[in-house]
Amino acid sequence: MTRTHRTRRTAARTLLASALLAAAVAVPAAATAAPREASTGATAGGETMPRESRLVDDFYSAYIDAVAAEDGAGLATALRDFYLTPELRARLADREAAGHADGVLRAQDVPADHLVTPGHSGAGHTWSTVRLTWGSPEDPAYTYLTVRSDLATGKISAIREGA
């Protein structure tokens, strides 16, 4: 991938994240609190991705770009506020204070890319696997996170290491 392509992709993701945040502010609180219907539609690797996994993908796409940007701290915080439950944000803050690493990425660095794979659902939650790609395309290394989303709200409620 060329630097220009990555720059365009980063700009597009940042614009998408900004638009999502602007739309979230415009929606009345009553509408955002209502349970949403599960829907499918996005295709990743030839399979249909559930809405919650698409939201995890949207979050990680925008979050990685925000953390990588020189002036992206405010956007990264806004993304956390929008996509993560308050309880998870509090747990991440505690983890980050103790470990001096980003709790969402479980690292001090920023990954080069990510891939979200839908998992199973049950008890009001769904799980997705997030593969973070580190290093160069010629010599990639991967770490895996398991991300839990609440079916009623679509918010991310847990992140743990491993798949």
Side-chain angles (χ1 to χ4, degrees), residues 53 117-122 125-129 146-149 151 160:
S53 293
T117 305
H120 60 282
S121 297
H125 305 288
T126 189
W127 287 261
S128 302
T129 300
T146 300
V147 177
R148 182 181 71 195
S149 301
L151 291 172
R160 67 176 188 237

Side-chain angles (χ1 to χ4, degrees), residues 55-137:
L55 290 173
V56 170
D57 186 52
D58 292 344
F59 169 68
Y60 271 89
S61 294
Y63 188 79
I64 289 169
D65 289 341
V67 171
E70 188 173 315
D71 59 349
L75 178 57
T77 300
L79 288 165
R80 283 179 175 223
D81 289 345
F82 183 76
Y83 283 98
L84 308 181
T85 63
E87 297 81 12
L88 177 57
R89 291 194 310 267
R91 287 193 309 269
L92 291 176
D94 292 343
R95 179 185 178 95
E96 290 167 346
H100 306 290
D102 186 293
V104 170
L105 301 173
R106 302 292 204 252
Q108 293 179 337
D109 292 329
V110 180
D113 205 356
H114 77 285
L115 175 70
V116 174
T117 305
H120 60 282
S121 297
H125 305 288
T126 189
W127 287 261
S128 302
T129 300
V130 177
R131 182 183 78 182
L132 300 175
T133 304
W134 307 90
S136 68

